[in-house]
């Protein structure tokens, strides 16, 4: 493969050969492609795009640049991916819920990015949990428990790690083709038999409009199916936090209530069930909704979650005594409503950044996360308040950061006479 010729063809709007794109991915992984060539390739793709076939070829080439998993299990192997939002802790509910329905979930997750939280950071709020077990332990936990939520290993899609680092410094992150290949190369390396995607739309998401979210969802679904993995997507509303708690331990606590059957977060519960229903249908189960609801109400999903936590090094009694184990912030104060009214709009990104300012996320890669801080009881769209009623509760390390976060939360929530609410599930993208 001539890397320069490949870059030139993409630059000139020509359709590259699949073998050349796969060879380029291999060159990223083994170092034969230079940083300059990687940057030029990323810019050419960003400006001219790839064909559908080219996107599949780049994705599978990046997937195959490192380790890929194969499974010998008595049920389907499935997973879910979210594009990220505020108060999005679906993974903590969905993975054990699916495991309780006789499928296996090797969920490779990530850390917080910008204003959005990370599943791994949330899990690490539980004392003792190790989200980077070795490959043998990962396989054992998936086989024994039915699910394991972990970080990517060192040799998962190394071509993506290399290209992403180049994209980050060359203004080429915002390419649907490259975003698609980056997401799917890591997910598909887990040897999945089916996958569902949750593409977020709104003020708390990276995608602010339905049109741009639909373009990304269509690219992800078509590429995953082209790579041999049956995949569908839901577009979900993120114009308000998915759950009324934001942070790490605060979100885990909410998930424990949901898994225990409490009506603590209706939107979070409904989206988890909807994603599970679509995924189990893709995996070959008929009419799976009643089974999912039963697994949640019976405590079967809670039992799977507790077993997974213990297998990852966490406490053995998480199901019964989770309140004892989760850290609590020393300062807890309300955010009073400045006037009577109804919650008319919420700036989800601003709420996420308030959590980052408390120490619940990272402003820089080297920052350490405080697992105890965050927000709880965040008022949703349409909620009526009187002057002085709490719009949310701030959990902070000290009074000064609590005061600063309270001001940010107050500024992020707009009161009015009516709320412009949208459905939770905005669209469905099928193969």
């Amino acid at each position: 493969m001539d890397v320069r010729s490949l870059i030139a063809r993409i630059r000139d709007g020509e359709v590259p050969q699949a073998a050349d794109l796969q060879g380029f991915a291999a060159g990223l992984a083994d170092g034969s492609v230079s940083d300059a060539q990687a940057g030029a390739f990323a810019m050419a793709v960003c400006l001219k795009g790839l064909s559908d076939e080219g996107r599949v070829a780049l994705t599978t080439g990046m997937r195959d640049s490192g380790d890929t998993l194969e499974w010998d299990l008595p049920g389907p192997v499935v997973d879910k991916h979210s594009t990220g939002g505020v108060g999005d802790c679906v993974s903590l509910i969905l993975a054990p819920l699916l495991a309780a329905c006789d499928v296996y979930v090797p969920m490779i997750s990530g850390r917080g990015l910008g204003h959005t939280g990370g599943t791994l950071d949330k899990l690490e709020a539980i004392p003792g949990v190790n989200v980077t077990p070795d490959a043998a332990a990962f396989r054992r936990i998936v086989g024994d428990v039915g699910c394991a939520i972990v970080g990517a290993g060192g040799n998962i899609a190394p071509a993506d790690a290399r290209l992403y680092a180049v994209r980050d410094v060359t203004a080429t992150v915002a390419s649907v083709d490259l975003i698609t290949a980056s997401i799917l190369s890591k997910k598909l390396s887990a040897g999945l038999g089916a996958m569902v995607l949750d593409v977020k739309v709104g003020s708390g998401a990276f995608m602010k409009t339905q049109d741009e979210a639909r373009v990304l969802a269509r690219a992800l679904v078509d590429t995953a199916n082209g790579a041999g993995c049956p995949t569908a997507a839901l577009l979900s509303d993120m114009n308000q936090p998915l759950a009324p708690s934001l942070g790490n331990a605060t979100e885990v606590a909410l998930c424990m209530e949901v898994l225990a059957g409490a009506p603590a977060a209706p939107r979070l519960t409904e989206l988890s069930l909807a994603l599970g229903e679509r995924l189990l249908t893709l995996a070959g189960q008929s009419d799976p909704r009643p089974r999912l609801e039963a697994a949640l109400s019976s405590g079967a999903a809670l039992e799977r979650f507790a077993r997974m936590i213990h297998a990852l090094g966490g406490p053995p009694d998480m199901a019964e005594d989770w309140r004892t184990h989760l850290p609590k912030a020393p300062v807890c104060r309300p955010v009073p409503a400045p006037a009577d009214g109804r919650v008319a709009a919420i700036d989800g990104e601003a709420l996420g950044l308030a959590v980052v300012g408390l120490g619940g996320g990272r402003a820089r890669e080297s920052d350490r996360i405080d697992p105890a801080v965050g927000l709880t009881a965040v008022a949703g769209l349409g909620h009526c308040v009187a002057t002085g009623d709490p719009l949310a509760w701030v959990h902070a390390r000290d009074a000064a950061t609590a005061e600063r976060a309270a001001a940010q939360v107050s500024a992020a929530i707009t009161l009015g006479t009516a709320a412009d609410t949208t459905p939770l599930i905005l669209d469905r993208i099928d193969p």
Side-chain angles (χ1 to χ4, degrees), residues 1-17 19-21 24 33 37-38 40-41 44-45 50:
M1 182 195 60
D2 183 342
V3 176
R4 291 172 298 180
S5 176
L6 171 64
I7 295 168
R9 288 200 301 276
I10 298 172
R11 178 201 65 198
D12 295 339
E14 299 177 16
V15 177
Q17 295 293 316
D20 287 343
L21 288 165
F24 179 81
V33 170
Q37 290 170 325
F41 171 88
V45 172
L50 295 173

Side-chain angles (χ1 to χ4, degrees), residues 177-230:
D177 293 320
L178 298 179
I179 290 170
T180 298
S182 179
I183 290 171
L184 294 181
S185 61
K186 295 188 287 287
K187 280 292 182 181
L188 297 179
S189 68
L192 304 178
M195 179 168 54
V196 68
L197 303 163
D198 178 16
V199 180
K200 304 289 191 186
V201 187
S203 68
F206 291 107
M207 298 293 178
K208 304 301 183 185
T209 70
Q210 288 191 47
D211 286 345
E212 60 183 352
R214 197 173 286 109
V215 168
L216 176 59
R218 185 78 263 168
L220 287 164
V221 167
D222 289 349
T223 303
N225 282 280
C229 179

Side-chain angles (χ1 to χ4, degrees), residues 14 21 26 45-46 73 114-115 122 148 180 191 196 226 235 237 290 300 376:
E14 299 177 16
L21 288 165
V45 172
C46 195
L73 294 168
H115 65 280
K122 295 166 193 177
T180 298
V196 68
L235 267 60
D237 174 59
T376 58

Side-chain angles (χ1 to χ4, degrees), residues 72-232:
D72 183 15
L73 294 168
V77 176
V78 303
D79 198 3
K80 156 263 180 190
H81 176 78
S82 168
T83 57
V86 176
D88 178 11
C89 40
V90 166
S91 293
L92 302 186
I93 295 170
L94 185 58
L97 183 59
L98 291 167
C101 293
D102 298 329
V103 296
Y104 294 84
V105 190
M107 187 174 284
I108 297 175
S109 295
R111 300 197 177 275
L113 180 64
H115 65 280
T116 65
T119 299
L120 301 182
D121 300 321
K122 295 166 193 177
L123 282 176
E124 287 181 337
I126 305 171
V129 167
N130 171 27
V131 296
T132 55
D134 62 32
F138 179 40
R139 286 181 170 278
R140 184 178 66 253
I141 296 168
V142 172
D144 292 347
V145 179
C147 61
I149 304 174
V150 301
N155 200 39
I156 295 293
D160 173 63
R162 177 94 187 284
L163 186 58
Y164 191 91
V166 170
R167 290 167 58 209
D168 192 37
V169 296
T170 56
T172 54
V173 171
S175 159
V176 168
D177 293 320
L178 298 179
I179 290 170
T180 298
S182 179
I183 290 171
L184 294 181
S185 61
K186 295 188 287 287
K187 280 292 182 181
L188 297 179
S189 68
L192 304 178
M195 179 168 54
V196 68
L197 303 163
D198 178 16
V199 180
K200 304 289 191 186
V201 187
S203 68
F206 291 107
M207 298 293 178
K208 304 301 183 185
T209 70
Q210 288 191 47
D211 286 345
E212 60 183 352
R214 197 173 286 109
V215 168
L216 176 59
R218 185 78 263 168
L220 287 164
V221 167
D222 289 349
T223 303
N225 282 280
C229 179
T231 300

